[in-house]
Amino acid sequence: MPLNRRTFLGTSAAAGAGMAIAGGMTVPAEAHEQGHGHGRPPQRYSFTVMGTTDMHGNVFNWDYFTDKEFDDKAHNDVGLAKISTLVDQVRAEKGRHNTLMIDAGDTIQGTQLSYYYAKIDPITAKRGPVHPMAQAMNAIGYDAAALGNHEFNYGIPVLRKFEEQCDFPLLGANALDAKTLRPAFDPYVIKRVRTPHGKDVKVAILGLTNPGIAIWDKANVSGKMVFPGLEEQAAKYVPRLRSMGADVVIVAAHSGNSGTSSYGDQIPYVENAAGLVAEQVPGIDAILVGHAHLEIPEYFVENKQTGKKVVLSEPLKWGQRLTLFDFDLVWEKGRWVVERAGSKVLNSNTVAEDPKITRLLTDEHKKVVAYVNQVIGTSAVSMTTAEAAWKDEPIIDLINVVQAETVKAALAGGEFAALPVLSQASCFSRTAQIPAGSVTIKDAAGLYPFENTLEARLLTGAQVKDYLEFSAQYYVQTPAGAPVDTAKLTNAGDTPDYNYDAVSGLTYEIDIAKPNGSRIVNLSFEGKAIDPAAQFVLAVNNYRASGGGNFPHVPGAKQLWANSEEIRNTIIAWVQAKGSVDAAEFASVDWRLTRDGVPVF
């Protein structure tokens, strides 16, 4: 399917791609101008825009990695079935015709439900199924959704099929065809909201996605799509939307609010640019923020040019919250003007799942539950990630041994076959477990929840040390003799667990009493201090190899081999081939935390 299959792309961009008008809410805009004279009060109207983001394949309040109802320490709930109940309540309160429903991206990756319909029973197959997320979002009645970076994880054909199955547009003003530099998706949509005054409100929804796609999903998008910065594309489209008569401009941005990037200077755009867009681009009333998995009920950013306050909101992730943007409008000089805009979030754990959604997708849910419970082997002992963020645990060694063996086999007989193979792995979840006894697909999937693939990169000993020093920034500096509280030891500088790497194949200590940059001590290979000039092969996931986390050296290192198979599936196949897993055969303590040479644990 061509990248620019949308019919609007055949027309001039200046003609305004995206003048799609809201179906049942459309009425002719035959409003007669009325002033505020003759003692009549100004006409006012209020409406609400609901928003979700980072749904990541969650329809049910279910955790497929544990195969039980979702729960966390805060007792959050997840899924579109919960969101649907909240949406129905808001529509009942406000009147359905006084509401719109949008999303800020990352929809079709993240659970075994979404994986199943991308890989096991793919929506792209001839007479294939309709994606559960499309079914649920269509039933809820979404008006638009921005593209997230994880939309591209399964390749463009899967994304295009999902787009085709949705009754609403997927928006991405900064997702461009690499050859024509024209929009590869609808940049925006304009919805008409009916008012009691006979004058429609024209609401423009502009979708912006994350420039990091060019790095994180390079294999899927290179040569096909490019992703310029959010500020640049917003500055292009917002004035156009205003000139087309938009009374209200809302941005759905799959981009956090912090102004930071995890890919350094590899591309000249900011990853988390939502706040910058509000600050730099005049004419925006509200931004639905995504990508960062944070809860922002209401946050105001002042536009530098106009001084106007722009309201931002991010409804956490996975359907745990629903954002409500409330707009109060007044009719002035022949048009609607936003008098006030505010936002709040609703917690989905306050409501039951909507039976309309659960009934709709019961069969799909049962298929996936049966799939994840397939037994693939046995384990001699129980292994868990509960302490893997500060100890070298066998369960992380399992990832590394599978990756190292896979790379060694791939390089066998070639130019680099004699080089030692190191491997990196992260503690993606602190609740993952390989139980003693039967091991299922869900156990392996819970250990590696991302669709990362495996690569082999060539590094020197000096580069490996730099890599480890960067990783060690994850720990809070803790003086020798001071008490160590594991609840406060990790995630320094808001570093997520998935951006701390343990590396196998050599031994080292991380001295957490020392400052960043000088924490790696006693770095050894085969019992000897590492040679800075020695060459090593690093088995590394494609996210890290592409610059995810901004680790040094790896993105620019020579690629010796790459695989298109998910690491998760490689682990599953390894366990199936072995039949049984015995931690005693591969577990080793390659690294430990110390202070002045004294082990912390």
Side-chain angles (χ1 to χ4, degrees):
M1 193 172 291
L3 292 179
N4 56 350
R5 70 171 186 81
R6 290 275 186 183
T7 55
F8 79 89
L9 291 178
T11 64
S12 153
M19 271 297 291
I21 309 300
M25 296 164 57
T26 305
V27 296
E30 298 171 354
H32 299 288
E33 292 190 21
Q34 296 181 23
H36 298 166
H38 311 293
R40 280 184 291 182
Q43 293 178 335
R44 286 187 161 81
Y45 173 69
S46 298
F47 75 102
T48 297
V49 176
M50 297 174 281
T52 52
T53 191
D54 295 275
M55 290 303 305
H56 284 286
N58 286 283
V59 172
F60 298 88
N61 186 40
W62 197 259
D63 184 346
Y64 293 97
F65 297 132
T66 60
D67 195 26
K68 60 185 179 182
E69 186 175 348
F70 178 88
D71 194 24
D72 61 13
K73 289 180 181 177
H75 300 299
N76 288 302
D77 287 347
V78 300
L80 283 170
K82 291 269 184 171
I83 290 295
S84 184
T85 301
L86 289 175
V87 168
D88 284 349
Q89 289 180 354
V90 173
R91 285 172 174 161
E93 177 191 346
K94 310 273 187 181
R96 181 173 181 130
H97 61 284
N98 297 320
T99 66
L100 294 172
M101 181 72 192
I102 64 175
D103 184 85
D106 272 7
T107 303
I108 59 170
Q109 177 278 337
T111 64
Q112 285 295 280
L113 181 74
S114 52
Y115 179 81
Y116 187 89
Y117 287 98
K119 292 287 191 176
I120 307 303
D121 185 11
I123 60 173
T124 48
K126 190 174 181 179
R127 292 188 293 277
V130 177
H131 199 290
M133 295 301 286
Q135 292 191 59
M137 294 173 82
N138 290 341
I140 291 168
Y142 276 76
D143 293 289
L147 293 163
N149 53 285
H150 284 287
E151 259 65 83
F152 295 84
N153 284 175
Y154 297 117
I156 291 170
V158 169
L159 174 54
R160 286 300 189 193
K161 189 64 179 180
F162 174 70
E163 178 188 29
E164 182 184 300
Q165 293 176 341
C166 291
D167 294 340
F168 51 90
L170 301 183
L171 306 177
N174 60 329
L176 309 181
D177 183 294
K179 295 181 176 63
T180 66
L181 297 184
R182 297 170 69 83
F185 296 84
D186 290 4
Y188 57 83
V189 65
I190 296 179
K191 312 291 284 189
R192 285 185 184 270
V193 180
R194 182 191 303 136
T195 77
H197 307 294
K199 308 173 182 72
D200 293 356
V201 180
K202 292 173 72 174
V203 182
I205 303 160
L206 177 68
L208 297 170
T209 192
N210 205 290
I213 295 165
I215 291 175
W216 305 320
D217 265 303
K218 183 178 180 180
N220 289 328
V221 301
S222 182
K224 299 173 184 176
M225 291 187 195
V226 293
F227 303 88
L230 284 85
E231 308 98 305
E232 169 191 323
Q233 294 302 100
K236 173 181 177 180
Y237 280 103
V238 172
R240 181 181 301 178
L241 294 170
R242 288 294 185 182
S243 71
M244 291 165 61
D247 301 301
V248 181
V249 174
I250 301 167
V251 176
H254 193 75
S255 181
N257 186 50
S258 65
T260 60
S261 288
S262 67
Y263 43 69
D265 58 0
Q266 294 175 76
I267 55 176
Y269 309 121
V270 177
E271 176 183 350
N272 296 301
L276 298 174
V277 171
E279 184 182 85
Q280 296 176 14
V281 181
I284 297 170
D285 295 296
I287 300 180
L288 178 65
V289 179
H291 185 60
H293 292 200
L294 298 176
E295 181 174 345
I296 305 175
E298 181 179 64
Y299 180 72
F300 289 96
V301 174
E302 184 175 302
N303 184 268
K304 282 187 172 179
Q305 284 184 240
T306 65
K308 177 186 169 183
K309 294 281 200 305
V310 182
V311 63
L312 281 68
S313 180
E314 182 174 9
L316 201 52
K317 63 183 186 298
W318 305 347
Q320 294 175 358
R321 305 288 184 273
L322 175 70
T323 280
L324 303 188
F325 289 109
D326 290 313
F327 298 94
D328 296 333
L329 279 59
V330 61
W331 183 261
E332 287 182 355
K333 298 179 182 177
R335 55 166 297 210
W336 289 108
V337 176
V338 175
E339 197 171 42
R340 190 198 74 85
S343 64
K344 64 180 179 180
V345 296
L346 303 180
N347 194 328
S348 67
N349 72 4
T350 62
V351 297
E353 291 185 315
D354 185 345
K356 171 184 67 181
I357 303 300
T358 55
R359 281 196 302 265
L360 180 67
L361 293 164
T362 294
D363 288 346
E364 287 84 346
H365 175 67
K366 287 180 177 177
K367 284 181 183 178
V368 177
V369 168
Y371 165 73
V372 300
N373 280 290
Q374 291 179 40
V375 174
I376 56 173
T378 61
S379 176
V381 296
S382 174
M383 297 179 281
T384 175
T385 56
E387 296 186 324
W390 53 86
K391 290 182 181 178
D392 188 349
E393 291 286 307
I395 196 166
I396 303 299
D397 292 336
L398 173 61
I399 299 174
N400 276 326
V401 74
V402 172
Q403 292 183 163
E405 286 188 7
T406 302
V407 167
K408 285 175 184 174
L411 299 180
E415 178 184 356
F416 303 99
L419 292 181
V421 176
L422 314 179
S423 178
Q424 62 78 223
S426 302
C427 175
F428 294 119
S429 164
R430 298 193 188 188
T431 59
Q433 182 178 11
I434 301 294
S438 296
V439 178
T440 64
I441 285 176
K442 75 171 184 283
D443 299 324
L447 176 58
Y448 213 109
F450 295 104
E451 275 73 44
N452 294 340
T453 57
L454 189 60
E455 297 191 16
R457 298 284 179 126
L458 185 64
L459 296 180
T460 65
Q463 290 174 328
V464 170
K465 185 174 189 298
D466 288 347
Y467 188 99
L468 293 171
E469 287 286 6
F470 183 89
S471 186
Q473 295 177 122
Y474 172 73
Y475 295 105
V476 174
Q477 188 172 3
T478 309
V484 175
D485 180 356
T486 55
K488 299 176 181 177
L489 177 63
T490 62
N491 307 99
D494 294 325
T495 302
D497 289 347
Y498 62 76
N499 273 344
Y500 170 67
D501 286 357
V503 175
S504 70
L506 34 69
T507 58
Y508 58 99
E509 297 171 10
I510 302 172
D511 191 329
I512 59 173
K514 296 184 185 298
N516 287 336
S518 58
R519 291 181 166 180
I520 302 301
V521 294
N522 296 327
L523 177 58
S524 302
F525 174 68
E526 294 184 341
K528 298 178 182 177
I530 199 166
D531 179 356
Q535 289 189 314
F536 296 89
V537 176
L538 179 66
V540 59
N541 69 56
N542 68 304
Y543 174 78
R544 191 71 79 234
S546 298
N550 200 27
F551 276 62
H553 305 305
V554 175
K558 181 181 179 66
Q559 184 191 75
L560 307 182
W561 173 82
N563 189 10
S564 60
E565 184 70 31
E566 288 99 344
I567 293 168
R568 174 169 59 209
N569 286 347
T570 304
I571 295 171
I572 290 170
W574 188 89
V575 174
Q576 285 177 317
K578 290 275 187 182
S580 62
V581 176
D582 187 354
E585 295 178 0
F586 57 78
S588 62
V589 178
D590 297 323
W591 63 274
R592 58 167 48 93
L593 302 185
T594 61
R595 290 182 295 183
D596 294 341
V598 178
V600 176
F601 302 105

